[in-house]
Amino acid sequence: MADAECRDAAAALDGVRVLVTRPRHQSEALCRLIEARGGTAIRFPAIEILPVKDSRSARAALACLDDFSLVIFVSPNAVEHGLALMDPASLRARIAAVGEASAAALEKSGIRPVLRPSGRATSEDLLALPELGADALAGCRVLIIRGEGGRQMLGCELSKRGALVTYAEVYRRARPKVDAGAIVEHGRAGRIDVIVVTSVEGLENLFEILGESESAWLRQAGYVVMSERIAARARELRVREKPVVTERADDAAIVDALIQWRAAQRGCGK
């Protein structure tokens, strides 16, 4: 890459102030990438990931891994908290992950091969794989490792295809107790340009933490989100701009989407 191209890449987000709402333990790598491109990353975790309060049901399912033909991890959090409750060496079933980030976390733990969709990271993409077709799943026992109260769509569709589905709920989502004073100050002063949101719960928590009094600037900000579900919820909350949806569920794709958002702003003369 020529020197001028390197400088352009390093300054791709120059002056852009990005509110990162990811859980604290998952946000730092993304913040560093934003800052490496010249942006300002404002850390404000709007969701917290915690172990389940009672893990007995999950432990019971995870103690019988040999009973399952397929084990699906729905997120990196499912990988982290699920592996903490099991012996990874006992995973001899076919392993699948909803997205590349989850698959990478499994492979980092020595678990492979991992079936995963390419590109986007949604349950719908996983279900589109031929390996999860009705012919392949009829009569199979499937274990879905997820958080408390996760989406029912994946399990319902697998059941329709003839699978016998069991859940192991290994983590829970919580609204963190945070001091929002600095964020409110930034927002009211117009010092937040775009907000990164990686889950519906995180988006809802953001609006609930800041309250109705701050909804005006929250709705005026730009949004980069990880799925059409989050974008749809943002529209329900009357966010002004159409959110930019990332191509994939990884940090580099989020930065690419932020650059795309900035280019659109420049095209509008903003």
Side-chain angles (χ1 to χ4, degrees):
M1 185 182 292
D3 289 346
E5 291 176 325
C6 289
R7 287 193 296 271
D8 289 344
L13 293 174
D14 188 32
V16 178
R17 297 156 297 192
V18 185
L19 186 68
V20 178
T21 64
R22 258 187 172 171
R24 192 178 306 278
H25 70 288
Q26 294 176 335
S27 67
E28 199 54 37
L30 173 60
C31 290
R32 288 197 299 268
L33 281 178
I34 292 168
E35 291 161 353
R37 292 301 188 96
T40 298
I42 303 167
R43 296 149 174 85
F44 187 68
I47 191 167
E48 187 174 12
I49 305 298
L50 301 170
V52 290
K53 292 181 178 178
D54 185 348
S55 64
R56 285 176 294 183
S57 177
R59 287 181 184 276
L62 295 170
C64 302
L65 290 172
D66 284 342
D67 293 344
F68 299 98
S69 302
L70 174 67
V71 177
I72 301 174
F73 292 81
V74 303
S75 68
N77 291 316
V79 175
E80 176 185 350
H81 291 272
L83 294 185
L85 297 177
M86 71 170 80
D87 175 12
S90 64
L91 271 174
R92 288 182 285 272
R94 170 174 282 189
I95 307 301
V98 167
E100 188 60 43
S102 302
L106 286 163
E107 290 170 346
K108 187 177 179 179
S109 298
I111 297 168
R112 61 186 71 218
V114 181
L115 180 67
R116 87 289 298 270
S118 60
R120 296 219 44 79
T122 68
S123 297
E124 290 84 349
D125 295 309
L126 182 66
L127 287 165
L129 296 177
E131 292 89 344
L132 270 67
D135 291 343
L137 289 177
C140 291
R141 294 198 63 190
V142 177
L143 178 64
I144 298 176
I145 301 178
R146 66 177 191 174
E148 286 182 348
R151 290 179 73 194
Q152 299 297 321
M153 191 278 292
L154 176 60
C156 289
E157 183 57 33
L158 292 174
S159 295
K160 290 178 184 177
R161 297 180 185 186
L164 306 173
V165 177
T166 299
Y167 294 103
E169 297 187 335
V170 297
Y171 66 93
R172 58 190 172 93
R173 306 166 189 85
R175 190 189 311 163
K177 296 178 181 179
V178 291
D179 181 359
I183 299 305
V184 167
E185 184 179 343
H186 282 306
R188 289 180 176 176
R191 295 195 297 267
I192 293 174
D193 301 308
V194 58
I195 301 172
V196 170
V197 181
T198 56
S199 69
V200 170
E201 294 89 345
L203 177 65
E204 292 172 342
N205 287 349
L206 178 65
F207 275 77
E208 289 169 8
I209 290 169
L210 296 180
E212 187 60 33
S213 63
E214 307 306 320
S215 62
W217 66 262
L218 278 174
R219 292 184 175 116
Q220 290 298 313
Y223 283 81
V224 164
V225 302
M226 269 198 177
S227 71
E228 293 292 347
R229 286 183 64 239
I230 306 171
R233 184 65 180 121
R235 291 191 289 271
E236 290 172 355
L237 291 168
R238 304 196 304 280
V239 165
R240 181 175 60 87
E241 291 181 12
K242 182 180 179 180
V244 177
V245 180
T246 63
E247 291 293 329
R248 306 178 310 280
D250 57 64
D251 292 344
I254 293 174
V255 172
D256 288 344
L258 286 167
I259 294 170
Q260 177 186 340
W261 174 86
R262 189 188 195 192
Q265 301 304 301
R266 286 174 165 173
C268 294
K270 296 182 181 178

